[in-house]
Amino acid sequence: MDRTRLPDRSDLTWLFFKTSGRVNRAAYFLSGLLVSIIQAFPYYHFKLLPEGSPESETWWSIFVVVVMATLWPLVVLAVKRLHDLDKPGIVALVLFVPVVSIVAFLVLCLFPGQPGPNRYGRRTNEPAQP
């Protein structure tokens, strides 16, 4: 991605839905933050309403749908972040282990990626080139 222009639809599709390539710490954290905000919106509305009300049930259902819809983008981001660390994407499965997921998230946010090209791409924040 060229930093001098806004991302277009294909950049966002790659970032959230395709596992090829690498992302750096900042892109991983900020993209994950965006997904978390999207998840928090229906949860916030659910918590504002009285428990058991039809409106709270609706917002809970919306929250569950949003969380299910955002699981893949979160996995894709973790896979590309692992690629930047020159690790296989399958390691992203540790994000589903409750306590380990916190440590894994911190590692992905804090450890710098491998400088220069690696087997997953020439540069960070772009799809892998064949």
Side-chain angles (χ1 to χ4, degrees), residues 91-105:
V91 178
L93 292 176
V94 300
L95 292 172
F96 293 101
V97 179
V99 174
V100 177
S101 65
I102 296 167
V103 174
F105 175 76

Side-chain angles (χ1 to χ4, degrees), residues 48-100:
L48 287 178
L49 297 166
E51 189 175 327
S53 70
E55 294 87 4
S56 74
E57 296 298 324
T58 300
W59 279 108
W60 178 255
S61 297
I62 292 169
F63 171 69
V64 169
V65 168
V66 167
V67 166
M68 296 303 287
T70 55
L71 279 177
W72 180 248
L74 289 173
V75 169
V76 165
L77 287 167
V79 166
K80 285 189 281 211
R81 183 69 193 114
L82 285 162
H83 287 174
D84 194 42
L85 296 166
D86 203 23
K87 303 291 182 223
I90 194 75
V91 178
L93 292 176
V94 300
L95 292 172
F96 293 101
V97 179
V99 174
V100 177

Side-chain angles (χ1 to χ4, degrees), residues 4 11 26 28 35 37 66 79 98:
T4 60
D11 291 339
Y28 173 74
V35 172
I37 290 169
V66 167
V79 166

